[in-house]
Amino acid sequence: MRPADYRDHLVDLLKNTPDVQKVDVLEGGPYPYALAATAGGREQRWQVIGQLADGAKHGSATPAVEGQPPAFKMAPVGGAPDVWLAGVIGAAEPADTERIEVWSTREGKKDPGLTVHFRNGERAFLRLV
């Protein structure tokens, strides 16, 4: 999924998430395709970076492939930001998403972020900025 499209999807998803007070698209700053979400009284800024499927071109969209949504549960808003965001995405039961990898849970990694692996081979990387 293209970064702007996925960012817009996340904005809509977050606006309908409990404990989220505010969501804004961040334009013109140092991080393209960024958004700010205030949840549980704490602001988080996320940048969306995309990777096309093998052989895909920027001129045309890669068709979506649907299947069983990944298994994720909502996480508390006061916990690790990337675990919370992965829970929000997973709880929406996205049929185009194969799996969600949470960076802060990987061995030896402390940087918060996540990788959304789509069934069509594309990826979205969301990093806390």
Side-chain angles (χ1 to χ4, degrees), residues 68-89:
Q68 184 68 22
F72 258 88
K73 295 180 182 174
M74 291 295 290
V77 71
D82 53 350
V83 174
W84 172 77
L85 185 58
V88 169
I89 295 168

Side-chain angles (χ1 to χ4, degrees), residues 4-122:
D5 295 337
Y6 199 63
R7 180 205 50 205
D8 294 345
H9 167 73
L10 288 175
V11 167
D12 290 339
L13 182 63
L14 288 165
K15 284 181 179 179
N16 295 307
T17 299
D19 298 323
V20 174
Q21 292 86 39
K22 183 178 176 183
V23 181
D24 292 311
V25 171
L26 302 177
E27 298 283 358
Y31 304 105
Y33 312 113
L35 64 94
T38 303
R42 183 173 78 178
E43 183 181 82
Q44 301 175 13
R45 292 175 176 242
W46 295 94
Q47 179 185 22
V48 179
I49 302 166
Q51 179 180 350
L52 297 176
D54 290 342
K57 304 290 183 200
H58 283 283
S60 59
T62 306
V65 178
E66 295 188 356
Q68 184 68 22
F72 258 88
K73 295 180 182 174
M74 291 295 290
V77 71
D82 53 350
V83 174
W84 172 77
L85 185 58
V88 169
I89 295 168
E93 299 182 345
D96 63 345
T97 301
E98 178 183 347
R99 62 188 167 95
I100 303 168
E101 180 182 350
V102 179
W103 299 352
S104 67
T105 61
R106 296 187 292 191
E107 187 174 331
K109 301 292 181 183
K110 299 293 180 203
D111 296 329
L114 48 110
T115 304
V116 180
H117 296 264
F118 297 100
R119 295 184 186 283
N120 63 6
E122 293 183 337

